[in-house]
Every structure is written in C-alpha cells, then in structure tokens.
Amino acid sequence: MIFKICNDVSSLGIKAVFLVIFDIDNTTYDVDLEKSISMFYDDFYRTYSLEDLEHDNNIIGYRQLHKKIGLTDESLIASPESLIKVLLKHKTLRPINFIVDTYNYVAIKNRVSIGAHDLNHICGNVRLCFTNGDELFVPLGKKSPQTV
C-alpha cells in the first residue's frame, strides 16, 4: 500500500504523517491511559474556554486554511475545534473505543486533525487529496457507502 499527499494539498503547506500499527487489540482499554485522558479532559474544560479558540494559533491556522481554499460555510470547522467544543459543552467526550478515544485525546491536546482506519477494509492506495464530491465512503457505524 502506498500513502501519498497530493500536490494541490501539499502546496498549501499541509503536512501529514501516516503511521501503520499492526495487531492492535481494540477490545480492551488500558486503565492508566483511560485515567490520563479523563484527567486531561477535567483539567482542559476547567482552564480552556470558547473564547480561547479565538486566540489558539492552531485553530486560527485551520480557519485561515478554510478561507484560503474557499470554504465559506462556517459550520464546517476543523475536527480539533469541533472536539474542543463538544468537550467544553459536555465536560467530557463519550467513550467509543481505545483507538478513537486515544486519537480524540491527541487531537485536542495538540490541536491537530487525526484519524484511524482499518487497512483491512481499504482497497488500493491511500492519498490525501481534495475531493471532487463523487467519492464514496462508508461512515463510521454504517454499512453502506455514501458520497462525500
């Protein structure tokens, strides 16, 4: 499998890292990690506010990038901003599973967009490119593909 960042994406200064991890058991949860994430969330919602988003350099960078590519729908926000807003509203994030909870924690802590995919369910190569709107994907928790 080949991982690629398309030129139109990299020319904007977007950087990406692909990490492949084999044989992860997503059915168990490390108790110490769960406790660390919970403590981080407790501290985060006590010390960070919605107003802080307006001065957060990473969040500002995502907003500037959206403007640069012509994304004007303000309801479409970068994933770290969305996760932060959910965390501030509910004072925690709903646990999903070890992998998702871990990357949500990393996304909030570092204000980065992050995701995970089971390579056993991906056919072909992986590339980070702009969509043209007719691509198909299977949303988390769904069985049938939908267009982007």
Side-chain angles (χ1 to χ4, degrees), residues 24-26 28-29 96-104 115-117:
I24 288 183
D25 180 3
N26 200 29
T28 61
Y29 215 119
I96 297 172
N97 62 46
F98 167 71
I99 293 173
V100 173
D101 295 350
T102 301
Y103 76 65
N104 283 342
H117 305 280

Side-chain angles (χ1 to χ4, degrees), residues 76-136:
L76 299 174
I77 60 176
S79 59
E81 181 174 355
S82 178
L83 287 167
I84 288 169
K85 286 181 175 181
V86 171
L87 177 58
L88 293 176
K89 181 178 181 180
H90 298 286
K91 300 181 180 174
T92 191
L93 295 183
R94 182 177 60 86
I96 297 172
N97 62 46
F98 167 71
I99 293 173
V100 173
D101 295 350
T102 301
Y103 76 65
N104 283 342
Y105 160 72
V106 170
I108 292 172
K109 185 174 182 180
N110 299 288
R111 318 298 195 275
V112 295
S113 293
I114 189 170
H117 305 280
D118 185 342
L119 296 182
N120 290 327
H121 298 281
I122 295 178
C123 299
N125 296 319
V126 175
R127 56 193 175 94
L128 178 61
C129 301
F130 286 107
T131 62
N132 60 28
D134 64 357
E135 297 88 352
L136 296 176

Side-chain angles (χ1 to χ4, degrees), residues 44 48-61 63 77 80-86 88 111:
F44 190 89
Y48 197 93
S49 69
L50 286 175
E51 293 77 29
D52 291 326
L53 287 171
E54 304 307 316
H55 307 287
D56 188 302
N57 286 335
N58 285 35
I59 301 302
I60 291 168
R63 291 175 178 177
I77 60 176
E81 181 174 355
S82 178
L83 287 167
I84 288 169
K85 286 181 175 181
V86 171
L88 293 176
R111 318 298 195 275

Side-chain angles (χ1 to χ4, degrees), residues 13-42:
I14 295 172
K15 308 221 180 319
V17 174
F18 299 93
L19 172 67
V20 178
I21 302 173
F22 295 95
D23 300 324
I24 288 183
D25 180 3
N26 200 29
T27 62
T28 61
Y29 215 119
D30 181 89
V31 176
D32 290 333
L33 178 62
E34 185 176 23
K35 184 177 178 182
S36 293
I37 291 172
S38 179
M39 289 172 51
F40 172 80
Y41 289 165
D42 287 346

